[in-house]
Amino acid sequence: MPRFTRRSFVKTAALAGAGVALHGCGGLSVERARDVVVIGAGIAGLTAARDLTRAGRDVLVLEARDRVGGRIHTLHDRAPHGLEMGAQMIHGSRAPTWELVREFGVKTRPFSDWGTWPWSGSGGFQKPDPVRQEEIEGRLARSYHDYHGEDVSFREFLETEKFTPAEQDALAEHALSWSAEADEVSLRAAMEDDAAWDRYLDRNYQVIGGYDILPNNLAAALGDRVRTSCVVRQVEWGRFGVRVSYERNGRPEKARARRAVVTLPIGVLQTGSPVFSPALPGWKLRSIESLRMGRVVVVHLLFDTWFWRDLDPAFPGWHTRGGRISFWDPHPVGAGAPVLLGWIEGNAAQELSDLGETAGRQRAVTWVEDVFPSAGARRRLQWSSLRDWLRDPYALGSYSFTRPGGWSQRAVLATPIEDRLHFAGEATAEAPHYQTVHGAYMSGRRAAREVLSAMGRDMALLSGSAARLLYSGRLGYPDVS
């Protein structure tokens, strides 16, 4: 979970990938050819479309959901600050998304540098031991430095280095920062990310009024170039360009373009849908298979009072089961609503997901009752929600992590195919920015630059007059229908 410690706030904001948009999926079954079709209206897709549109390109964005934002999803009807169902915060004062914050006049507030308290059923709240934790972290850093072996799992490395079970539990957050278990995560990726993240992060910030302000403003500026409720089924590509077949409410439609920017999450790409024709080359498929999606379930519990603040007015929240289950108060003291946010990840998220929504919400209330047995939490409960990212069909997980043996593959995932298919999304960002909203933003800007560069090469191959006609829209593209 994103525990609020020196390294933690880890990648909560990462729930950032491909998403949805503001306008219905209308239009003809086959339309005029565009310069670029963007698949996915999360931060990556919207940013790529914004940059391409500003450069004068004709762009269409297709999104499967009925909203924009993807893994940024805010509820506004229950609390004045909004309730973040996915991405939680801006990571760092140097995050590139501050460009959007300034452009849209968005208000933010810093999170305090505190950490949730550990809790167990046998011992209750335990006082953190920062000296002991620093000692274990120091030993881990030395082990990293001395390691020259294969890219094994993080768990195998800890066992080889003779970390005790208690020490492994203390280091669990290194794997849980990806919402994964230690036996699932690449050691080399962990080593690279730990070092880069510690150099990069200073503090974290909350977007006042809801994180979805950013994608909503991006989509509003794009207008009817963004279409929601459009599920892409097939992407045909070749020297002719690309042809994207999609449907809405059972009605098939097609979009044509010279190029496509694909921003689908890894979990979706691994399902084989949409179908690419011809199939993606082996090197691209290997990069897709080198990653996995983390497991997160987000719970919100609205009560009639802040009973947990009776323990301590500055009570930051708690975590248990090695950090896999965490609850905290997302609103500042004296403001907002009496809400507890539950961030459940790894194996605990899988267990909650397997229960289903209704039973899962009940289990979450039980966890609160276990910690505050005399508070009457179930009686005080006014409303609850459970956002299961594992079962979300357009994400199939929270954000990407690297499997053992795959630590060098993110750059391969980001590589275009024959200047026709370009790829963006948090999974294509470099360390330590993957899994974050700002990583998705950076990837969208990078993909737009690649497309514009490729189009520039196209123009160089044409005569001056033909180029002017082509990019003014008065010279049609080859018919790919």
Side-chain angles (χ1 to χ4, degrees):
M1 86 138 235
R3 296 193 296 279
F4 305 120
T5 61
R6 176 179 62 87
R7 11 171 324 92
S8 78
F9 273 108
V10 232
K11 306 243 177 53
T12 328
L15 295 176
V20 198
L22 295 178
H23 301 274
C25 174
L28 303 174
S29 59
V30 178
E31 299 184 343
R32 74 178 188 278
R34 313 267 182 160
D35 289 322
V36 186
V37 60
V38 178
I39 302 174
I43 283 289
L46 292 172
T47 300
R50 187 271 311 265
D51 285 5
L52 291 166
T53 299
R54 286 180 173 178
R57 303 308 179 218
D58 187 5
V59 180
L60 176 65
V61 183
L62 300 175
E63 170 53 50
R65 304 181 195 274
D66 60 359
R67 60 169 179 83
V68 294
R71 285 167 278 174
I72 296 176
H73 186 196
T74 310
L75 293 185
H76 294 276
D77 60 345
R78 294 288 175 172
H81 280 262
L83 299 177
E84 303 295 358
M85 313 301 285
Q88 298 290 315
M89 63 196 75
I90 299 172
H91 289 302
S93 62
R94 294 174 291 165
T97 43
W98 286 104
E99 297 171 356
L100 298 180
V101 170
R102 290 189 289 270
E103 179 180 346
F104 301 142
V106 175
K107 295 181 179 180
T108 65
R109 71 177 185 93
F111 273 97
S112 300
D113 292 327
W114 40 244
T116 54
W117 296 353
W119 179 91
S120 70
S122 59
F125 289 109
Q126 298 118 43
K127 184 178 180 180
D129 186 347
V131 174
R132 175 59 175 156
Q133 186 67 29
E134 193 68 27
E135 178 185 317
I136 297 172
E137 293 284 351
R139 182 183 166 198
L140 177 66
R142 292 189 296 274
S143 296
Y144 277 169
H145 181 271
D146 295 337
Y147 186 76
H148 301 288
E150 298 296 320
D151 184 19
V152 298
S153 74
F154 186 62
R155 173 74 71 191
E156 185 176 343
F157 167 75
L158 294 179
E159 292 173 347
T160 300
E161 294 296 312
K162 303 292 192 290
F163 284 88
T164 68
E167 290 171 333
Q168 291 186 36
D169 286 344
L171 295 171
E173 65 173 296
H174 290 261
L176 290 172
S177 68
W178 295 289
S179 301
E181 297 293 330
D183 58 355
E184 299 173 312
V185 173
S186 157
L187 169 64
R188 292 289 180 184
M191 293 167 65
E192 178 185 48
D193 187 70
D194 280 358
W197 189 252
D198 286 342
R199 289 192 302 269
Y200 163 76
L201 184 66
D202 45 17
R203 68 184 312 171
N204 299 277
Y205 300 81
Q206 182 182 40
V207 177
I208 296 175
Y211 218 151
D212 65 349
I213 293 173
L214 302 187
N216 286 346
N217 274 277
L218 284 169
L222 289 166
D224 61 6
R225 298 178 184 88
V226 182
R227 296 180 182 172
T228 54
S229 300
C230 297
V231 181
V232 173
R233 300 300 187 189
Q234 186 178 45
V235 179
E236 299 170 90
W237 60 280
R239 294 183 62 186
F240 57 80
V242 297
R243 179 171 55 200
V244 178
S245 301
Y246 62 99
E247 65 181 42
R248 182 192 183 216
N249 298 326
R251 184 180 67 182
E253 300 190 19
K254 296 178 182 178
R256 297 181 295 158
R258 296 301 295 169
R259 289 170 174 81
V261 177
V262 180
T263 72
L264 299 173
I266 282 294
V268 175
L269 288 174
Q270 289 174 342
T271 67
S273 181
V275 174
F276 288 86
S277 179
L280 298 178
W283 59 268
K284 179 65 73 172
L285 293 175
R286 285 190 293 274
S287 71
I288 293 171
E289 286 302 315
S290 72
L291 306 176
R292 286 290 183 268
M293 290 293 278
R295 290 163 290 175
V296 167
V297 175
V298 181
V299 176
H300 285 87
L301 304 173
L302 175 65
F303 298 96
D304 61 359
T305 185
W306 286 268
F307 58 82
W308 54 92
R309 291 182 181 174
D310 294 339
L311 181 67
D312 184 322
F315 177 59
W318 74 95
H319 64 267
T320 188
R321 284 185 58 179
R324 294 169 181 83
I325 299 171
S326 304
F327 284 87
W328 70 88
D329 188 334
H331 295 154
V333 173
V339 173
L340 281 175
L341 186 156
W343 186 267
I344 320 302
E345 56 190 331
N347 289 340
Q350 187 67 62
E351 294 168 17
L352 204 61
S353 176
D354 291 343
L355 287 174
E357 182 174 352
T358 301
R361 285 189 282 116
Q362 294 300 315
R363 176 66 60 83
V365 177
T366 300
W367 287 337
V368 176
E369 288 180 316
D370 290 343
V371 178
F372 298 98
S374 62
R378 197 172 299 272
R379 171 176 51 83
R380 294 180 178 278
L381 185 66
Q382 305 292 299
W383 172 85
S384 64
S385 74
L386 185 147
R387 188 67 164 89
D388 185 349
W389 289 99
L390 287 72
R391 294 179 181 270
D392 184 300
Y394 305 122
L396 297 175
S398 53
Y399 36 68
S400 63
F401 68 88
T402 309
R403 300 175 60 197
W407 69 277
S408 63
Q409 290 296 306
R410 289 184 187 270
V412 179
L413 180 64
T415 302
I417 300 176
E418 297 183 10
D419 278 341
R420 293 300 174 197
L421 300 180
H422 298 258
F423 293 81
E426 56 85 11
T428 69
E430 62 183 11
H433 307 298
Y434 50 80
Q435 306 169 315
T436 69
V437 172
H438 72 258
Y441 174 78
M442 293 164 67
S443 77
R445 303 213 71 179
R446 184 257 309 150
R449 290 193 299 271
E450 291 171 351
V451 170
L452 292 172
S453 177
M455 287 184 168
R457 289 193 291 273
D458 281 355
M459 292 186 69
L461 296 176
L462 298 170
S463 67
S465 59
R468 285 192 295 274
L469 286 171
L470 176 59
Y471 287 97
S472 68
R474 288 152 51 195
L475 177 65
Y477 292 120
D479 186 3
V480 296
S481 61

